[in-house]
Structure formats: C-alpha cells, structure tokens
Amino acid sequence: MITTASHIITALTTMLALGWLWQAIAALRGLPTLPDLTQLDRTLPPASAGPGTDATVIVPACNEEESIQATLRSLLRSTGVRLQIVAVDDRSTDATGVRMDAVAVEAQAAGGTHQLEVIHNRALPAGWLGKPHALALAAERARAPWLLFTDGDVLFDPRAIALSLRYAAAEKADHVVLALTLDFKSFAESAVYASFQAMAAWRIRLWKVADPKARDFCGAGGFNLVRRTVYERLGGFAALRMEVVEDLRLGWLIKRAGFAQRVVLGAGLAHIRWIEGALGIVGLLEKNGFAALRYRFWLTLLMFAGFAVQIVLPLAAIATGRWAAVAGLLAYAFIALTYAANRRVTQASPWAAIFFAPATAILLFALARSMILTLTHNGVEWRGTRYPLDELRRNAGRGW
C-alpha cells in the first residue's frame, strides 16, 4: 500500500515537474524577446515635432494623500514629451484633493511644457464603479492622441512616457503596457510576487501578447498607454462601468478587437510600492481575485485545487523519499528556473523558489478570502462603497 502511494506521488510529481520545465523553457525563450525601452533609447525614432499635446495622462486617486504629490511631480518632470495631466480626486475623504491642488499651483507658477488639471469628483452615478467612472470622467477632457491610464502611487522616470510613445510609433502599436518595477523592502515580498507572476504565466504569456493569433493579452492599471481612437471605438470605460478589474478587461477588449498590443520592459521607468509585507497582497486581491475569475464559483474552486496541488505535492514527494524526493526536488529546481527566466519582469531572485509553497499558500488564502467576502457580503465593498454581486456578474461578461 505504501509502495503504491509512493509510486502515485512520484508519478504525479514527475508530471508537475515536467510542467514547470515546460514553463521554464517557454519563458527562457520568450521573455528575452520583450523589448527593454532603456536599451532602445538610441535606436528608436525621435518623437514627432507636431503641435499640440502628445499624451493625456489620467490619474485617478481616492484617499491617496501619501503618494499623490510624488506621482504628479514625477509626471511633471517628464522630458521629450508634452503632457496634459488630468488628476481626479475621486470622492476622497482625506487630503488627496488639497495636495493635488497644491501641485497644480506649483505647476502653474513654474510654467513649463506640461499642463495639470484637477477634477474634484464628489458623486458616483448609479451603475458605475468608482474607478471606471473617474477614468471615464478624465478621458472626456482628453485632447491628445494618446491616453495613459495610471494610478496615484506610481513614480515615473522622466524618460518613461516619451520612450513608450516613440516605441508605440515605431511598432505601430495601439496599446502599450509597461511592466512596472516593484519596490521591495523584504525578501518575503519579492518571494510572494515571484510566485504570483509564475502562477499567472500559466494563463498569460507576456511574450505572446504581441502575437495577433495568440489568446494572451495584457493590461496594467499602472501603465496602460492606449490610442484615443481605439479607446473611443471600444466604448471607453463607459463600456466597463461595473468592471472591477477594468485594466485587465480593457486589455482584453483591445486584443480581442484585433488591435496591436505590446508589453515592454524598462527597469525603473515606472515603479511602485505595490506589496507592503508578505501578506500585503491579501488586501490587494480582496476585490480583484474573485472578479478576475468572473465571479465563477466552480472555476475558483478549480483554481484552489490547482494551487493546493502545487503547494502540497512537491513537499509530500520530498518527504516520501527516494525517487519521489528526486521528483519533488526537480519540481523545485524547475520552479527556480522559471523564476530566473521571469527575473527581467519581477526583479526577484531565483532563490525565492525556496519559499514557493508558503508564498503560493498566501495567494491561495487571498483568493479564497476574496471569494468568501464577495459571497458573504453579496457584493464587493471597496473604499466606502458597496457594489451588489448580481450587478457585478451581470456586467462582467464571460471569460477571457
């Protein structure tokens, strides 16, 4: 009986290890093809010298008093580009709006190339989530041919937007997603993010996003650069008014509609303190986890099972000993190899694979918590507003 169980564990773990080997090889081949804007600076064509504004940057913020000034000031330091910056104080109950206004006064006094406009929004219309409404509100003011949707806690290198626009022009792209650089303060934070990225790669291969025949797509709330004509043709955020993961859904719509989508890298061009502590991702996924699975209970349970297998099976194999232990160690070796391949995106060490099990367990807990809270509250409660589950499901659309 023990021998039979050992053989089963060995066989299953070997299959899992081969799966991770396939993932590692695919990432090692694919991720190096992603362009790094910091390396392309000298080879990209110069920006056009036409009149007007090059890009409208839209910065929604709700209770972001600690970070919003740094974000806006970093945008105002942008070089090689002319920006219309529209910052939305979306029903904040702290000093976010006051601090936005202070930066706007500074910008006006200093003069310069860029314009900063602050919108103080105090009402949320029925049938809208807060963030899509704030994004749509700001987009209505846009005058530029490009829209950059970002967040109120992202810090920009002065070259970031100009390089992205030059790359988009050279590639004839309609949508450019710049992978953000995460600011880690502990090894545990990087380990959680490395696991998050590795698990996500089973569904979305970043190097396949540019392939019009591939199902892979991308969207990132911190840096979604979209042609305004494409945004308007797809209905803008009015078409996503009850979408919790509006950044991902916008990317999905763009790719599905056949527009040219690109993912680019550039360490330090846009960075964010996204995960605060190893458990920080739990709060971040509270509203997004179940939403990303389109509020489907069966699919979420299936993902729970997949995560549980990834956590338990290699450790059980190692504890079993002999050939099972070899299979378990190989699984971890190939996970580490995948981490090494992903390092251009995550900046996380392959040694973080040692903590793959606890890091993935945190992700599993975050996902379970997101589902349980959504179901028990019969909706999503976020930043003081409750959104009914029936309405969220009705507007979510099917699948990806």
Side-chain angles (χ1 to χ4, degrees):
M1 191 71 169
I2 295 176
T3 302
T4 301
S6 175
H7 287 165
I8 292 173
I9 291 173
T10 302
L12 292 175
T13 309
T14 299
M15 292 173 61
L16 181 61
L18 291 174
W20 277 111
L21 176 60
W22 178 86
Q23 282 284 87
I25 292 172
L28 285 168
R29 294 178 60 188
L31 285 173
T33 66
L34 291 182
D36 184 335
L37 295 186
T38 62
Q39 303 299 318
L40 296 179
D41 193 354
R42 295 182 180 180
T43 61
L44 287 173
S48 64
T53 306
D54 297 314
T56 297
V57 184
I58 294 171
V59 191
C62 178
N63 297 334
E64 299 278 6
E65 63 179 5
E66 294 183 2
S67 60
I68 190 61
Q69 286 187 314
T71 293
L72 295 178
R73 285 169 179 155
S74 71
L75 286 168
L76 288 166
R77 289 193 292 269
S78 297
T79 57
V81 66
R82 294 152 299 186
L83 301 178
Q84 174 199 12
I85 304 167
V86 184
V88 184
D89 167 24
D90 185 31
R91 300 167 296 131
S92 297
T93 56
D94 63 4
T96 297
V98 173
R99 297 187 179 184
M100 284 180 171
D101 288 336
V103 178
V105 170
E106 291 174 11
Q108 187 173 14
T113 305
H114 312 304
Q115 298 176 358
L116 172 58
E117 175 186 1
V118 177
I119 300 173
H120 296 282
N121 178 50
R122 293 290 172 259
L124 180 63
W128 282 86
L129 264 76
K131 188 174 180 183
H133 177 252
L135 293 168
L137 196 65
E140 291 176 358
R141 311 285 186 97
R143 300 190 302 268
W146 286 92
L147 304 176
L148 173 60
F149 298 101
T150 186
D151 290 323
D153 53 357
V154 179
L155 297 177
F156 292 85
D157 182 282
R159 304 167 297 160
I161 299 175
L163 283 173
S164 300
L165 287 169
R166 289 166 58 194
Y167 173 80
E171 285 285 304
K172 295 181 173 56
D174 300 301
H175 179 210
V176 176
V177 178
L178 171 62
L180 300 183
T181 301
L182 271 61
D183 297 329
F184 298 124
K185 292 188 177 179
S186 71
F187 189 78
E189 292 173 358
S190 65
V192 170
Y193 185 58
S195 175
F196 177 83
Q197 194 67 39
M199 296 298 285
W202 286 86
R203 174 63 181 86
I204 298 176
R205 301 161 295 176
L206 295 180
W207 59 92
K208 283 287 189 179
V209 167
D211 182 354
K213 297 180 181 179
R215 58 176 172 75
D216 308 80
F217 68 96
C218 192
F223 202 103
N224 264 338
L225 181 66
V226 186
R227 285 188 193 273
R228 197 172 94 194
T229 53
V230 171
Y231 170 82
E232 292 171 347
R233 181 171 171 180
L234 295 174
F237 281 107
L240 302 171
R241 61 182 63 201
M242 287 297 293
E243 181 58 66
V244 171
V245 285
E246 80 295 324
D247 51 353
L248 277 176
R249 199 64 174 180
L250 178 63
W252 179 78
L253 287 175
I254 291 170
K255 182 66 181 286
R256 188 184 67 162
F259 294 107
Q261 189 172 78
R262 298 289 186 271
V263 176
V264 295
L265 307 180
L269 289 181
H271 58 99
I272 186 173
R273 178 91 174 102
W274 192 54
I275 300 176
E276 296 190 17
L279 296 177
I281 201 165
V282 174
L284 293 170
L285 294 181
E286 179 178 319
K287 71 179 179 69
N288 293 350
F290 198 34
L293 296 170
R294 317 318 291 154
Y295 309 103
R296 288 177 290 182
F297 182 73
W298 67 268
L299 182 60
T300 309
L301 290 183
L302 187 63
M303 184 163 284
F304 288 169
F307 275 46
V309 168
Q310 297 275 9
I311 294 164
V312 173
L313 189 57
L315 295 178
I318 292 170
T320 300
R322 302 190 68 180
W323 289 111
V326 172
L329 291 172
L330 281 174
Y332 268 93
F334 297 146
I335 291 169
L337 189 60
T338 304
Y339 281 20
N342 287 343
R343 194 166 191 174
R344 292 185 71 208
V345 177
T346 65
Q347 292 86 50
S349 168
W351 288 104
I354 295 172
F355 300 100
F356 172 78
T360 306
I362 290 172
L363 297 178
L364 175 56
F365 172 73
L367 184 60
R369 180 175 179 269
S370 175
M371 183 187 74
I372 291 168
L373 287 176
T374 303
L375 293 176
T376 55
H377 293 160
N378 197 29
V380 170
E381 294 185 14
W382 193 250
R383 300 200 176 187
T385 305
R386 182 180 176 278
Y387 306 100
L389 180 57
D390 287 345
E391 193 170 1
L392 293 172
R393 277 179 164 154
R394 189 164 55 250
N395 289 276
R398 295 193 174 206
W400 293 104

